[in-house]
Amino acid sequence: MNDLELPKGLAPGLARMVAEYVVDAGEYREWGGDRVPGPAVSWKEARPSNEGWSRYGSFLAPGEAHAAFGYTDGSPRPHPDIDSLVEELGKDPEAFAILYDAERAQFAHHLERFTDSGESPDYRPPARPDSLSKPTNGPDRDVQDAADHIGSLMKHRARHAMDGTIPDLAAFDKSVRRQTRGTFRPAEKQLNSRPVMGDIADRPVSEPVEGDLTDGRHQLLKVLDGWAKDRDVPARRAAAMKQLVDDAYVRALWLRVA
């Protein structure tokens, strides 16, 4: 999808499609291309391992198949590229709002399923002792991915503003805010449900957005702080998670803008 130019009016619809597949579209950045056996994987292939980990994401709905975005079948023709598609969609304020909502909704979705210690409830110690296997590995990856994806969105926004694709950034941001559904807060108690992927981005909003919407780091950390307070997460663990969010966001935004 490099150098892709979408027909006028198509961006919001495509953004909704990506939002409905928010788990698979995000995971593709890690395991796309020919590292998967086909264009989709069955629920059996996506099942967590004995240690409670699946390469296809966290807290997956039982019985749900997953799309392998970017699968190429080994052919040399141009291939789907989620990052390039997101960059193109980011030119449209409505599409931008849809994608931003989906990522923030998934962030809340993950937080409310972590334990009160900020660990994965699905983690199982490996049969053989392994110093690299920890119950915090999954949650660490989840919060980093959220920060990376949102930081990348803001990177695309900055690039479009710098090259003139977004001629009036203030007007663009005002439109994004108008079309953003709101803020997504995690439940105050741990949830054990595993909803289907399409329900994640459709979750109800908790309240209107406060503060600078396009300061993605602030929006993430505010939600994380609220979750840690509600769940009485140990201060050391909460601080470590905040640092992971901060590092991933800054890396995605600033180190990739140039």
Side-chain angles (χ1 to χ4, degrees):
M1 282 185 184
N2 292 328
D3 301 319
L4 172 69
E5 189 168 336
L6 298 176
K8 186 176 180 180
L10 185 60
L14 275 178
R16 292 188 185 93
M17 182 275 290
V18 174
E20 288 295 302
Y21 285 88
V22 64
V23 174
D24 295 347
E27 290 301 316
Y28 160 68
R29 303 172 199 224
E30 301 294 331
W31 55 265
D34 291 322
R35 294 171 57 195
V36 292
V41 294
S42 70
W43 67 270
K44 291 183 178 180
E45 293 170 296
R47 282 184 302 185
S49 66
N50 292 334
E51 286 76 42
W53 179 84
S54 171
R55 70 187 296 190
Y56 303 102
S58 303
F59 314 125
L60 303 178
E64 185 173 42
H66 292 269
F69 284 90
Y71 176 69
T72 68
D73 195 26
S75 63
R77 65 181 182 275
H79 305 301
D81 181 342
I82 289 295
D83 286 323
S84 295
L85 176 59
V86 169
E87 181 176 6
E88 180 67 22
L89 294 174
K91 299 176 182 178
D92 182 280
E94 182 179 358
F96 188 100
I98 292 168
L99 296 175
Y100 192 19
D101 280 356
E103 294 294 351
R104 291 183 297 115
Q106 184 170 223
F107 184 62
H109 167 85
H110 282 146
L111 288 176
E112 64 196 6
R113 284 164 178 78
F114 298 161
T115 69
D116 292 348
S117 299
E119 300 178 347
S120 171
D122 297 335
Y123 173 79
R124 301 292 181 272
R128 297 181 179 179
D130 181 358
S131 61
L132 298 178
S133 180
K134 300 176 182 178
T136 56
N137 285 353
D140 285 352
R141 180 173 178 265
D142 291 335
V143 298
Q144 284 179 299
D145 283 350
D148 179 81
H149 297 169
I150 290 175
S152 293
L153 263 179
M154 298 307 166
K155 169 197 67 178
H156 297 319
R157 165 182 168 273
R159 281 183 172 169
H160 293 323
M162 288 189 291
D163 67 17
T165 303
I166 297 176
D168 186 337
L169 187 58
F172 179 89
D173 290 349
K174 185 177 181 179
S175 181
V176 169
R177 190 177 188 104
R178 185 173 63 251
Q179 296 179 88
T180 294
R181 294 174 54 215
T183 296
F184 303 92
R185 303 285 187 196
E188 294 183 359
K189 295 183 179 180
Q190 183 182 349
L191 300 185
N192 298 315
S193 60
R194 301 291 185 266
V196 296
M197 180 171 24
D199 288 349
I200 295 175
D202 293 334
R203 67 181 287 145
V205 297
S206 306
E207 58 193 42
V209 173
E210 295 182 354
D212 183 357
L213 177 62
T214 55
D215 183 349
R217 176 170 55 177
H218 168 75
Q219 296 297 331
L220 286 169
L221 292 179
K222 187 175 182 179
V223 169
L224 182 59
D225 282 340
W227 166 79
K229 181 179 180 180
D230 288 342
R231 300 279 293 278
D232 197 22
V233 177
R236 184 174 181 179
R237 175 59 180 152
M241 295 174 74
K242 289 179 67 175
Q243 190 63 59
L244 289 171
V245 167
D246 197 48
D247 290 347
Y249 182 86
V250 171
R251 184 168 56 247
L253 176 60
W254 297 114
L255 296 187
R256 299 180 188 175
V257 166

